[in-house]
Amino acid sequence: MELLRKWLGHPGDIYHLLRFKMGGYRAVMPRMDPDSLGRGLRTCYRYLNQTSRSFAAVIQALDGELRHAVCIFYLVLRALDTIEDDMTINLDVKVPMLQEFHSYLYQPEWKYTESKEKDRQVLEDFPTISMEFRNLSKVYQDVISDICHKMGVGMAEFLEKKVDSQHEWDRYCHYVAGLVGIGLSRLFSASELEDPIIGQDTELANSMGLFLQKTNIIRDYLEDQLEGREFWPREVWSRYAKKLSDLAKPENIDMAVQCLNELITNALHHVPDVITYLSRLKNQSVFNFCAIPQVMAIATLAACYNNKQVFRGIVKIRKGQAVTLMMDATNIQAVKAIMYQYVEEV
């Protein structure tokens, strides 16, 4: 009954869900034939599907050899991220591992079997991932190795300090997500599916990553608190509470929501860069890959704005809403309209 009530409140969702399930998704995300792949690549795509349902679909819809390069890039960074997240690894072991992780790409036997994280398979079977990395064209290898090196160094830096100022918030988000945007952009240009400017304009590519990462950090306040992680910048939250954890207390809810709204406003400053970046893309599969996460992010921010639920549980956009965004965000005019609609909502 609850599901029926939700649908009756949003009748468009039923139409788009049905359209999606009856094959409409193939226009946005055509299916890849796994039988056409070698054993190593098949294993990599299996890990991709196990570690990220949302990114797996859009990665597998990319054209040509770019698809494999982005798949391997994702798994390499997932392995790096799993080390960063693993609280059971001592800092004296973790810091050099993060800083030197890029070198493991060229060590056929390297793997790590002591992680307790849910995605530990990408570390335990790293030899399969690194082998497929070495099978990529050198132009892709160079991008992935360089980004992996920079990200590992940045992650190590923030292991031993908290995010203090808004400048440091941007710096942390650059290391964990802005570099992903820059790396992907360089891969797009290397594939020649996009113009060289896409890979060269690192400022716009960085904004693409920052917008997604800030959205995740804002939405995941409670989950991060429960797991002992703090990513909201002290410069902002200290104006509203003595400790970041105090924002979750019922008596502080009004101040908590004001703090939330300030951070959402900060994140929205990246929207003009996002639109400029997307307007430069020429390849349809690359456009879909880039645009879908961005419209999901702005819809999520709109759902979080002024919403006390951020401090009580999880805020998610409706499944029908997500499907509608996925199927509509296929050209720049539609993306502009979606962005405008959610900014107006905020």
Side-chain angles (χ1 to χ4, degrees):
M1 282 301 290
E2 181 59 30
L3 186 62
L4 184 61
R5 270 197 297 274
K6 279 184 183 173
W7 273 5
L8 289 173
H10 304 277
D13 285 4
I14 307 175
Y15 167 72
H16 286 291
L17 273 169
L18 287 173
R19 193 171 134 223
F20 188 75
K21 288 187 184 296
M22 290 173 74
Y25 63 90
R26 297 254 168 79
V28 182
M29 290 181 279
R31 188 173 288 162
M32 185 185 71
D33 176 19
D35 295 334
S36 64
L37 307 174
R39 193 169 71 179
L41 266 179
R42 267 205 309 275
T43 301
C44 287
Y45 280 104
R46 190 173 81 246
Y47 292 154
L48 175 68
N49 281 295
Q50 287 168 354
T51 52
S52 171
R53 282 189 310 177
S54 51
F55 275 113
V58 283
I59 288 173
Q60 288 171 94
L62 286 167
D63 290 340
E65 60 184 15
L66 177 63
R67 176 192 303 152
H68 301 328
V70 174
C71 172
I72 300 305
F73 186 39
Y74 177 88
L75 292 177
V76 167
L77 297 188
R78 171 60 68 185
L80 182 65
D81 199 41
T82 301
I83 289 171
E84 186 208 20
D85 284 346
D86 195 331
M87 307 302 268
T88 67
I89 306 174
N90 289 332
L91 281 185
D92 56 346
V93 174
K94 189 187 282 194
V95 168
M97 270 179 84
L98 291 172
Q99 291 171 334
E100 293 162 24
F101 195 84
H102 66 290
S103 68
Y104 304 150
L105 292 166
Y106 298 98
Q107 296 175 31
E109 304 303 317
W110 187 89
K111 60 183 172 183
Y112 185 74
T113 56
E114 293 166 45
S115 177
K116 305 292 186 289
E117 289 292 299
K118 64 175 173 28
D119 293 330
R120 60 185 176 273
Q121 65 201 18
V122 294
L123 290 169
E124 291 170 352
D125 192 18
F126 198 73
T128 297
I129 296 168
S130 70
M131 177 184 71
E132 291 303 332
F133 163 82
R134 292 188 300 278
N135 285 340
L136 294 172
S137 301
K138 187 176 184 298
V139 67
Y140 296 131
Q141 288 185 40
D142 291 348
V143 171
I144 294 170
S145 175
D146 180 51
I147 295 297
C148 188
H149 185 199
K150 288 172 178 166
M151 189 179 286
V153 169
M155 285 175 165
E157 178 189 325
F158 275 92
L159 278 178
E160 300 181 85
K161 68 177 185 184
K162 289 191 173 175
V163 179
D164 233 356
S165 64
Q166 291 186 65
H167 172 74
E168 278 186 350
W169 197 37
D170 279 4
R171 187 173 163 83
Y172 171 75
C173 290
H174 163 73
Y175 281 135
V176 299
L179 282 171
V180 180
I182 291 167
L184 285 168
S185 301
R186 287 168 62 189
L187 292 177
F188 299 156
S189 293
S191 73
E192 298 186 354
L193 292 174
E194 296 296 345
D195 291 335
I197 187 67
I198 299 299
Q200 291 162 0
D201 194 334
T202 55
E203 197 171 322
L204 290 188
N206 188 57
S207 279
M208 293 284 283
L210 262 62
F211 187 58
L212 299 184
Q213 187 65 22
K214 287 181 178 181
T215 299
N216 290 341
I217 286 173
I218 290 164
R219 180 199 60 201
D220 294 343
Y221 165 84
L222 196 61
E223 182 185 322
D224 286 335
Q225 279 295 302
L226 294 172
E227 295 188 15
R229 297 191 294 253
E230 294 193 353
F231 299 116
W232 284 25
R234 175 189 291 272
E235 183 185 340
V236 176
W237 65 253
S238 62
R239 292 200 288 271
Y240 301 93
K242 287 202 170 93
K243 297 201 301 279
L244 183 55
S245 56
D246 289 346
L247 294 176
K249 294 177 179 174
E251 64 269 25
N252 296 332
I253 194 64
D254 290 341
M255 295 301 272
V257 167
Q258 286 180 47
C259 181
L260 167 72
N261 291 348
E262 185 174 338
L263 289 181
I264 291 173
T265 304
N266 173 297
L268 289 173
H269 281 98
H270 298 293
V271 170
D273 278 357
V274 168
I275 290 171
T276 303
Y277 180 97
L278 293 173
S279 69
R280 289 178 175 174
L281 298 176
K282 299 187 305 184
N283 179 271
Q284 188 65 55
S285 75
V286 172
F287 185 90
N288 294 348
F289 175 87
C290 295
I292 290 169
Q294 300 293 334
V295 295
M296 296 286 190
I298 200 160
T300 300
L301 288 181
C304 289
Y305 193 81
N306 230 22
N307 191 346
K308 297 173 183 177
Q309 187 61 23
V310 172
F311 304 95
R312 296 169 180 164
I314 300 169
V315 174
K316 279 188 174 178
I317 59 175
R318 303 182 313 278
K319 190 170 183 182
Q321 186 182 2
V323 165
T324 302
L325 289 169
M326 202 183 297
M327 294 184 71
D328 287 352
T330 54
N331 63 77
I332 190 63
Q333 292 313 124
V335 168
K336 282 181 181 175
I338 291 165
M339 293 282 190
Y340 186 81
Q341 172 199 330
Y342 285 111
V343 169
E344 280 285 288
E345 207 174 287
V346 168

